[in-house]
Amino acid sequence: MVPTAPYGSWPSPIDAALAAAHEGRADDAAFVGDDLWWTEPRSAEGGRRTLVRRGPDGEARQVLPEPWNVRSRVMEYGGRPWDGVERGADGPLVVFAHFTDQRLYAYEPDGTAAPRPLTPLSPVGEGLRWVDPRIDLDRDEVWCVLEEFTGEAPTDVRRVVVAVPLDGSAAEQRSVVRELSDGRHHFVTGPRLSPDGSRAAWIGWDHPRMPWDGSELIVAEVGADGDLRRTRTVAGGPEESIAQADWAADGRLLFASDRSGWWNLYRAEPAEGPALALCPREEEFAGPLWQAGRRWFQPLDNGLIAVVHGAGTTTLGILDPESGELVDAAGPWTQWASTLAAHGSRVVGVAVSPRTSAELVELDTATGRARVIGCAHTDAVDPAYYPEPLVRTYPGPGGREIHAHVYPPHNPDRTAPADELPPYVVWAHGGPTGCVSLALDLETAYFTSRGIGVVKVDYGGSTGYGRAYRNRLREQWGIVDVEDCAAVARALAEDGTADPRRLAIRGGSAGGWTTAASLAGTDVYACGTILYPVLDLTSWLDVTHDFESRYLDSLIGPYTEVPDRYRDRSPAQHTDRITAPFLLLQGLDDAICPPVQCEQFLEKLTGRGIPHAYLSFAGEGHGFRRADTVIRALEAELSLYTQVFAIDRDDIPLLELTK
């Protein structure tokens, strides 16, 4: 007979160290010759990302040891940080951005020499940054995006498409780097060359738009000297978002646009003319362009197109652009990342499911067989301890639908008293232009296996449900997100799923904003966990990075027109309304939501008598990557809930709450 114990007190084999070890996932997959390469996190090595190579024998080998860290800081969120080509008898050549100094390096992994710099050294990596490289052996260059800071303000920055010599001549001399684009856009992605090398395509956009609000697809002719000529805009605009562009094997242009209200796939002829929708559906075939170089579709040599598509959840499919027929890969995976790679009949992506962490999955388009070929999930504990998610839709204010994933408490070794309802934590995702994944997450299991339920809310503004759903948050940030999270929490309490007296909310970045705004604006929650948040809108404009410095124009409204709205929405301006205990977690190297926001917020709470704790972490930026940080943060969060929800357990460090 299974023992009975109160919710939250259950013993669990999923400890914080185990959850921290599974932080991050494989990304940036690509073929170099016949070998598959990708980046992979190393949480135990300071959170760096290494480069991994899978050869013909099927064994994955680390290519770059410590201290090399394959990660770009362009727009702070980075993007595709490496590229590689096979050179026959000379072996592969790899070019990558090193996080520490943000220089581009060239590396011959089959040789004995260390990586050699291709670009100049700049102070603390802040003067010059590079992302989305593409090696062009014909010209002996790397085409990529250069982000160049021109002043001391975060917005004093320019971005251009450039060509970096592979011979290393630019390592000491910035002037050797050839600038290719004309600077017509403040933000650009890396160029994609047509199969014959005669044309290049890239995406650009400008403040105050974010790329998911409106962007443009640019095409230019490539001259014999490698310069770009006759640059023109072929798609996009203020209310049309282009998320990705590439070339089919026959030289026709492919791109993902949300002109229909959904990111669908289109094809344009080399000459000017109307674009053809290849598979018009009320589904997303792309997503928000937070990082340069994301790939939701991949053209194949035989004319077919591998696509990641879906509404809410996603799958991998093979699209015939001539007939519009779409055939999906079979398998248990419920979410595919925007990192597709292809070689011959092989298509590889990163996929997850409610029972598996991120895996590299290969689909053989010739046979239809899908199999895991890298980062294979292994159960570190009995999967009986994993939560069983429920996909739900709840009614919100005005009758709008709210999508959510519910993770009830689950532990095979314990059951709760019949008369007790479980505590629940509402998870508000970041972005806010983002979404939650239907995936195994050991941080979630850390709580559910102990008897604390989790519900992850795709509040209005989330991606995956079309442009209209995203636009619900226009000028409504701090209202719609707060209302939707509260509506889901109340629904769980009203239907007898959750204890209405033991509801919490937590979130990071924009989710941290929603958490703080919820504590200041509702009486639904008994406590909250706020991670690296936005807390005061007006001051945030002065300290955040360039990429998001005008994000609030759409989320709140232009500051010059509605300054009072910035003050009225900010949790930092309403600390007198906060009565619930909270935990505040912050990285000290965060350039997106700097720690000064937290410090000023806490100053306003001085003497209020609200139990709280503030933990800051040196060496952490926006999002925690180090194993020791993740462990400390998770245990502190659990300690907050045990204290507020009156849960008896002594197997975690006590979080000291001050008043």
Side-chain angles (χ1 to χ4, degrees):
M1 185 174 180
V2 178
T4 298
Y7 286 112
S9 69
W10 302 344
S12 171
I14 303 174
D15 60 15
L18 183 62
H22 287 75
E23 275 293 290
R25 68 182 186 193
D27 202 357
D28 308 307
F31 282 95
V32 180
D34 294 330
D35 294 356
L36 179 68
W37 299 55
W38 65 88
T39 63
E40 195 171 289
R42 293 287 186 266
S43 61
E45 299 174 6
R48 77 180 185 97
R49 294 193 73 90
T50 189
L51 196 59
V52 177
R53 175 184 185 181
R54 180 185 186 272
D57 60 1
E59 183 177 349
R61 299 175 177 86
Q62 176 176 272
V63 175
L64 291 167
E66 289 186 275
W68 298 106
N69 188 352
V70 185
R71 184 175 153 220
S72 171
R73 280 191 62 186
V74 168
M75 301 190 304
E76 294 303 335
Y77 292 107
R80 183 171 176 81
W82 78 278
D83 189 34
V85 294
E86 182 59 59
R87 301 173 300 167
D90 292 330
L93 172 68
V94 172
V95 171
F96 66 93
H98 178 42
F99 183 75
T100 303
D101 59 18
Q102 285 300 289
R103 301 174 87 178
L104 279 183
Y105 286 80
Y107 181 49
E108 299 180 41
D110 291 349
T112 59
R116 56 182 176 84
L118 297 180
T119 56
L121 184 66
S122 56
V124 200
E126 292 190 355
L128 304 171
R129 299 175 181 175
W130 318 80
V131 75
D132 207 8
R134 288 295 184 275
I135 299 172
D136 184 353
L137 290 179
D138 291 336
R139 298 183 178 88
D140 203 33
E141 294 177 324
V142 182
W143 287 32
C144 60
V145 174
L146 163 63
E147 180 178 75
E148 184 172 26
F149 288 81
T150 58
E152 295 185 2
T155 53
D156 293 338
V157 59
R158 61 191 293 266
R159 296 172 191 85
V160 287
V161 176
V162 298
V164 178
L166 274 170
D167 62 9
S169 58
E172 303 295 335
Q173 192 173 356
R174 158 70 177 84
S175 60
V176 178
V177 175
R178 290 196 306 124
E179 296 194 6
L180 300 174
S181 59
D182 55 13
R184 68 171 65 183
H185 291 294
H186 191 60
F187 299 95
V188 291
T189 63
R192 300 294 180 268
L193 284 170
S194 61
D196 63 3
S198 66
R199 284 163 294 149
W202 66 94
I203 299 168
W205 68 95
D206 296 286
H207 285 319
R209 289 176 286 159
M210 299 300 285
W212 44 84
D213 295 326
S215 56
E216 296 180 353
L217 174 56
I218 313 299
V219 173
E221 295 179 9
V222 182
D225 56 2
D227 287 341
L228 301 181
R229 302 183 175 91
R230 298 184 180 89
T231 302
R232 60 190 177 92
T233 299
V234 299
E239 293 293 328
E240 180 184 355
S241 168
I242 309 297
Q244 182 189 345
D246 212 329
W247 301 90
D250 62 5
R252 289 186 284 188
L253 182 62
L254 303 172
F255 62 93
S257 164
D258 71 346
R259 59 179 60 175
S260 70
W262 297 81
W263 274 304
N264 278 190
L265 196 56
Y266 294 81
R267 183 176 64 196
E269 301 297 330
E272 293 188 46
L276 174 68
L278 299 181
C279 187
R281 294 188 181 188
E282 291 190 350
E283 291 183 9
E284 305 283 35
F285 285 72
L289 194 62
W290 281 99
Q291 299 175 311
R294 296 288 86 191
R295 288 178 296 181
W296 291 270
F297 70 84
Q298 177 67 50
L300 307 183
D301 293 341
N302 60 7
L304 301 177
I305 308 169
V307 295
V308 171
H309 71 102
T313 59
T314 57
T315 190
L316 173 65
I318 302 299
L319 174 66
D320 183 339
E322 304 306 325
S323 67
E325 181 182 8
L326 179 59
V327 179
D328 291 334
W333 305 286
T334 51
Q335 210 83 35
W336 290 75
S338 52
T339 177
L340 291 182
H343 179 61
S345 64
R346 303 161 63 194
V347 177
V348 173
V350 177
V352 295
S353 82
R355 308 296 289 179
T356 56
S357 53
E359 302 175 303
L360 281 157
V361 180
E362 178 186 85
L363 171 66
D364 187 333
T365 60
T367 65
R369 180 191 177 199
R371 63 188 181 111
V372 176
I373 63 167
C375 302
H377 172 80
T378 56
D379 291 315
V381 298
D382 187 336
Y385 291 94
Y386 298 160
E388 297 287 348
L390 306 170
V391 179
R392 295 287 185 263
T393 301
Y394 294 96
R400 64 178 182 252
E401 290 185 340
I402 308 166
H403 302 289
H405 299 165
V406 181
Y407 295 82
H410 179 73
N411 187 313
D413 298 331
R414 292 293 187 275
T415 186
D419 59 350
E420 184 184 4
L421 291 175
Y424 259 80
V425 184
V426 174
W427 286 30
H429 65 70
T433 309
C435 63
V436 297
S437 294
L438 190 62
L440 174 63
D441 173 22
L442 290 188
E443 286 196 18
T444 303
Y446 177 77
F447 294 103
T448 57
S449 63
R450 286 166 170 77
I452 299 175
V454 169
V455 57
K456 301 182 180 182
V457 182
D458 271 338
Y459 49 81
S462 300
T463 55
Y465 309 97
R467 189 179 184 102
Y469 199 90
R470 294 202 315 273
N471 285 349
R472 289 182 186 179
L473 211 58
R474 282 199 171 182
E475 300 193 1
Q476 297 298 306
W477 196 36
I479 296 178
V480 165
D481 51 325
V482 171
E483 290 178 345
D484 285 1
C485 287
V488 171
R490 291 191 181 102
L492 291 174
E494 290 169 1
D495 67 15
T497 299
D499 185 344
R501 298 165 301 175
R502 295 192 294 174
L503 295 171
I505 185 168
R506 66 100 75 177
S509 188
W513 153 274
T514 300
T515 298
S518 296
L519 295 180
T522 75
D523 59 0
V524 174
Y525 309 103
C527 61
T529 300
I530 308 168
L531 299 94
Y532 35 90
V534 178
L535 293 169
D536 184 80
L537 297 175
T538 302
S539 64
W540 185 74
L541 291 176
D542 298 326
V543 297
T544 194
H545 63 143
D546 181 57
F547 177 57
E548 292 180 272
S549 62
R550 299 293 300 276
Y551 198 0
L552 300 184
D553 279 39
S554 60
L555 292 175
I556 304 295
Y559 179 73
T560 55
E561 299 176 14
V562 289
D564 291 347
R565 192 181 294 170
Y566 280 64
R567 182 190 64 250
D568 294 342
R569 298 267 183 92
S570 296
Q573 300 299 324
H574 302 291
T575 53
D576 58 312
R577 300 178 187 173
I578 296 177
T579 59
F582 65 89
L583 168 63
L584 188 55
L585 301 167
Q586 177 67 45
L588 293 179
D589 295 344
D590 193 339
I592 297 170
C593 294
V596 65
Q597 288 259 305
C598 293
E599 295 161 2
Q600 294 172 349
F601 180 75
L602 292 172
E603 284 179 9
K604 294 184 178 182
L605 277 165
T606 302
R608 291 270 338 280
I610 307 302
H612 68 277
Y614 176 49
L615 302 181
S616 59
F617 302 95
E620 292 284 12
H622 197 66
F624 301 150
R625 290 178 170 83
R626 300 171 184 253
D628 54 347
T629 302
V630 176
I631 292 169
R632 180 72 179 104
L634 273 177
E635 292 180 339
E637 184 175 354
L638 179 59
S639 182
L640 172 70
Y641 301 149
T642 59
Q643 294 180 60
V644 174
F645 297 155
I647 297 169
D648 184 18
R649 62 184 317 139
D650 59 5
D651 58 345
I652 53 170
L654 178 67
L655 176 69
E656 293 188 12
L657 298 175
T658 60
K659 294 185 178 182

